[in-house]
Amino acid sequence: MSAHDVTLFGDQVAASRLGARFAAMDAGALLRLSIRDLFPGRIALVSSFGADSAVLLHMVAQVDPATPVIFVDTGFLFPETLDYRDELVRLLGLTDVRAVQPSEEDLAALDPEGFLWSSDPDGCCEIRKVKPLANAIEGYDAWITGRKRFQSGTRAALPLFEAEGERVKINPLAGWDASELLRYLDLHALPRHRMVAKNYPSIGCIPCTSPVKPGEDARAGRWRGKGKTECGIHLGILSAGQDI
């Protein structure tokens, strides 16, 4: 496949066809194809440095440790997440990790007291996660996510490739389950996020993340009781030119 074929991603039907074509390709090979051949210099990994982020970060580092990694620091992250980020950056030799934060102007205008999460969690996510990421991925033709189908019912049909306007989202671990993630972590002796041992299989911001109970979805502890399942970065087309 040549890089010119990427234009096929203009609609989700074409993306689905390409996903079917590469369905048998393992995640590492899919990442090599995407980073080296399809989108050289035009692709980034978006990572939360969360519960199982080490798997995808390790795979990307094996392909090219200089691949841009975008990390959204909302200002409300667990200290353990920031420590885990620093640990993995050192261990994996990642050389282009870019921390992006909400703008001071947005915080002053929309969340001056830092309690927007309690009254309007969608609005809080928009200014602290969605808008900073939209600005950060401007200019990229593709980005890599760590989403998996097993994480929640809303992700059960997650494809390998998604069309996001003229940009491509790639989900190389879409078909992985929790046991495969654990095997990979063990095989490569990768460190765990310390919150996982405290029953946090999905880790976001402190005010909106709680431990998960036995039998619940991995993301059941996110925005518990608020009727919200996603922060918003995967619910539409990210564009810095829009009033997000």
Side-chain angles (χ1 to χ4, degrees), residues 47-93:
S47 178
S48 66
F49 286 84
D52 51 43
S53 295
V55 172
L56 196 52
L57 287 161
H58 180 268
M59 288 181 176
V60 168
Q62 301 309 298
V63 177
D64 183 0
T67 301
V69 177
I70 299 173
F71 170 68
V72 180
D73 183 353
T74 64
F76 285 150
L77 298 179
F78 288 91
E80 290 89 343
T81 295
L82 300 178
D83 291 343
Y84 193 49
R85 174 198 61 187
D86 295 343
E87 180 181 13
L88 289 176
V89 169
R90 290 192 300 269
L91 177 67
L92 302 178

Side-chain angles (χ1 to χ4, degrees), residues 9-185:
F9 282 102
D11 63 77
Q12 191 56 51
V13 173
S16 298
R17 289 172 181 161
L18 200 52
R21 176 176 179 179
F22 294 117
M25 183 176 285
D26 67 64
L30 184 62
L31 284 166
R32 285 192 297 274
L33 174 72
S34 301
I35 294 171
R36 293 179 177 175
D37 300 323
L38 292 180
F39 306 100
R42 298 176 287 119
I43 188 171
L45 166 64
V46 175
S47 178
S48 66
F49 286 84
D52 51 43
S53 295
V55 172
L56 196 52
L57 287 161
H58 180 268
M59 288 181 176
V60 168
Q62 301 309 298
V63 177
D64 183 0
T67 301
V69 177
I70 299 173
F71 170 68
V72 180
D73 183 353
T74 64
F76 285 150
L77 298 179
F78 288 91
E80 290 89 343
T81 295
L82 300 178
D83 291 343
Y84 193 49
R85 174 198 61 187
D86 295 343
E87 180 181 13
L88 289 176
V89 169
R90 290 192 300 269
L91 177 67
L92 302 178
L94 300 167
T95 61
D96 191 7
V97 177
R98 309 175 184 188
V100 297
Q101 299 173 323
S103 75
E104 293 296 330
E105 293 80 5
D106 284 344
L107 294 180
L110 301 170
D111 193 16
E113 303 298 327
F115 286 105
L116 186 61
W117 59 268
S118 64
S119 61
D120 183 6
D122 287 334
C124 186
C125 286
E126 284 174 358
I127 63 171
R128 292 182 179 272
K129 297 186 74 173
V130 180
K131 191 171 181 179
L133 180 58
N135 288 323
I137 64 170
E138 278 293 298
Y140 289 103
D141 291 340
W143 56 294
I144 303 161
T145 92
R147 292 176 298 162
K148 301 99 182 162
R149 294 173 190 138
F150 82 90
Q151 289 175 317
S152 68
T154 58
R155 296 182 174 185
L158 183 71
L160 283 178
F161 294 91
E162 296 175 88
E164 187 189 64
E166 295 183 355
R167 194 160 45 219
V168 183
K169 281 198 294 191
I170 305 167
N171 309 302
L173 302 182
W176 284 44
D177 60 27
S179 63
E180 290 175 292
L181 294 168
L182 288 174
R183 283 198 297 271
Y184 191 96
L185 290 167

